[in-house]
């Protein structure tokens, strides 16, 4: 049996200890450790990494503190449009959705696209019709209304800026969520879910639902979930690039992550980070921003929680 391991993130950006209260910090840490516990419960029973990823992300999507599911940021039109993707490292199957509204857990819809449709990527109304057909849980607009998020939108509109959840100057916000896991069968999986960027317009979609940019998993190399300024992560094809450096250049997970996040992305001007796991159970939690909400847990080891640099 392979030892299991799991890692999650809750977004990266300008996260400073000076703008955090002990109560808020404790609430965010609880959100992260609850999500690890939800994923670990699956892995402990010998369950699949894919299910661990889905459960950990559902827990973060249900928590209004995070920019995914319930806590999603607002678009320019005051709506919540969510993106998510999931990938199975064992057979390279994948599922993704973009611009979905009123879906309680977009990560489960992404998984349904992978397992119950002949497609990989569904968007907008079509993705929502598919969710309806499968009777996936829906919630009314009110469920997604978080007052602080609405304030973020107002602020972003004042300056006509499109902001990363945690870079809008408001205190203690956290963002996009993701998970990578390896199960006792040695299979890797990765998933990512987000409300995107505050004040986004014109159906903007970031890296989160794009397989290879925001999410990637391959048993031959690694599992990756990204967070940060999506436009740059798309252009740098971040998640797949890490995998390629391992596959074609024989680099270690740590070397590959460092090159992509600390060098290539920085040169492009892309702020953010990623969580990564390889088949040996090595975990990397790498970012070039002030902070990244992150947690990891290996079988029989204690929980690691981090926020700042
Ligand atoms: N990457 C996400 C996006 O661009 C945002 C984030 O990670 O906070 O939509």
């Amino acid at each position: 049996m392979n030892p299991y391991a799991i890692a999650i993130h809750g977004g990266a950006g300008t996260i400073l200890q000076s703008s955090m209260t002990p109560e808020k910090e404790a609430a965010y840490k609880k959100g992260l450790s609850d999500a690890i516990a939800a994923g670990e419960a699956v892995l402990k029973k010998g369950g699949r990494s894919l299910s661990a990823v889905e459960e950990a992300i559902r827990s973060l999507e249900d928590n209004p503190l995070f920019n995914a599911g319930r806590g999603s940021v607002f678009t320019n039109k005051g709506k919540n449009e969510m993106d998510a993707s999931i990938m199975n490292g064992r057979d390279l199957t994948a599922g993704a959705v973009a611009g979905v509204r009123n879906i309680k857990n977009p990560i489960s819809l992404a998984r349904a696209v992978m397992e119950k449709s002949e497609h990989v990527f569904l968007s907008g109304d079509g993705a929502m019709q598919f969710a309806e057909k499968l009777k996936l849980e829906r919630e009314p607009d009110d469920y997604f209304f978080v007052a602080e998020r609405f304030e973020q939108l107002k602020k972003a509109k004042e300056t006509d800026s499109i902001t990363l959840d945690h870079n809008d100057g408001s205190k203690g916000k956290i963002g996009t969520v993701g998970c990578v896991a390896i199960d006792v069968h040695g299979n890797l999986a990765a998933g990512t879910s987000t409300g995107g960027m505050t004040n986004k317009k014109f159906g903007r979609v970031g890296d989160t639902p794009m397989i290879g940019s925001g999410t990637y998993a391959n048993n031959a190399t690694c599992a990756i979930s990204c967070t940060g300024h999506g436009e740059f992560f798309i252009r740098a094809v971040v998640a797949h690039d890490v995998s390629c450096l391992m596959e074609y250049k024989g680099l270690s997970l740590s070397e590959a992550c460092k090159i992509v996040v600390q060098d290539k992305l920085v040169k492009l001007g892309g702020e953010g980070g990623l969580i990564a796991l390889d088949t040996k159970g090595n975990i990397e939690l790498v970012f070039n921003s002030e902070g990244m909400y992150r947690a990891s847990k290996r079988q029989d080891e204690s929980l690691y929680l981090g926020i700042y640099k």
Side-chain angles (χ1 to χ4, degrees):
M1 284 290 204
N2 185 79
Y4 68 73
I6 180 166
I8 58 170
H9 70 73
T14 313
I15 305 161
L16 298 169
Q17 197 154 16
S18 54
S19 59
M20 185 75 94
T21 65
E23 294 74 30
K24 272 191 176 165
E25 192 174 310
Y28 298 148
K29 283 188 171 166
K30 183 173 184 307
L32 292 171
S33 69
D34 286 352
I36 289 274
E40 191 179 14
V42 175
L43 297 171
K44 226 184 235 169
K45 286 190 296 201
R48 297 168 69 188
S49 51
L50 204 61
S51 301
V53 164
E54 183 185 1
E55 288 308 318
I57 292 181
R58 284 177 68 100
S59 160
L60 295 162
E61 286 176 338
D62 291 346
N63 186 334
L65 287 173
F66 296 89
N67 173 19
R70 182 165 205 176
S72 291
V73 296
F74 286 98
T75 65
N76 178 262
K77 295 212 163 113
K79 304 260 181 248
N80 309 101
E81 291 178 359
M82 302 169 282
D83 308 327
S85 65
I86 193 163
M87 186 160 184
N88 187 353
R90 187 171 56 123
D91 55 9
L92 306 185
T93 50
V97 290
V100 296
R101 297 184 306 277
N102 303 97
I103 303 293
K104 181 166 179 272
N105 294 108
I107 194 68
S108 297
L109 180 54
R111 184 170 179 178
V113 171
M114 174 173 89
E115 293 177 336
K116 298 183 177 141
S117 86
E118 56 200 279
H119 308 296
V120 171
F121 202 165
L122 300 182
S123 71
D125 290 342
M128 289 177 332
Q129 279 161 26
F130 180 67
E132 210 163 289
K133 191 176 139 199
L134 296 181
K135 301 204 171 0
L136 288 197
E137 252 176 297
R138 289 172 61 91
E139 292 290 349
D141 287 353
D142 288 0
Y143 171 86
F144 299 91
F145 186 88
V146 176
E148 277 177 275
R149 296 274 184 244
F150 208 68
E151 284 307 310
Q152 286 178 314
L153 173 63
K154 279 200 217 151
K155 231 187 206 171
K157 275 187 154 176
E158 277 163 21
T159 51
D160 197 26
S161 54
I162 298 161
T163 51
L164 267 184
D165 181 33
H166 16 264
N167 284 4
D168 65 351
S170 56
K171 290 178 183 165
K173 290 292 159 41
I174 51 184
T176 294
V177 306
C179 179
V180 291
I182 184 163
D183 57 33
V184 295
H185 315 289
N187 290 317
L188 291 167
T192 317
S193 180
T194 191
M197 289 172 82
T198 301
N199 200 24
K200 62 184 183 181
K201 297 172 197 165
F202 313 123
R204 179 263 184 194
V205 177
D207 60 313
T208 301
M210 292 188 194
I211 297 301
S213 290
T215 303
Y216 191 70
N218 184 343
N219 275 5
T221 53
C222 59
I224 308 274
S225 169
C226 300
T227 174
H229 196 145
E231 278 67 10
F232 295 91
F233 281 69
I234 293 171
R235 289 162 54 207
V237 203
V238 169
H240 191 239
D241 199 23
V242 172
S243 172
C244 286
L245 286 171
M246 294 176 73
E247 188 171 1
Y248 304 141
K249 272 194 140 185
L251 298 192
S252 69
L253 182 72
S254 136
E255 288 165 337
C257 290
K258 208 166 156 206
I259 288 176
V260 174
V261 177
Q262 311 292 16
D263 185 39
K264 293 174 100 171
L265 262 178
V266 171
K267 281 180 185 148
L268 270 185
E271 183 186 5
L274 57 81
I275 54 171
L277 189 60
D278 68 12
T279 38
K280 294 183 203 106
N282 292 309
I283 296 174
E284 292 294 324
L285 313 168
V286 201
F287 51 99
N288 60 34
S289 46
E290 289 293 340
M292 180 170 81
Y293 294 88
R294 58 200 187 274
S296 63
K297 174 93 172 57
R298 279 201 196 86
Q299 187 173 335
D300 305 325
E301 286 185 20
S302 51
L303 173 70
Y304 166 80
L305 281 174
I307 298 179
Y308 317 105
K309 235 182 221 161

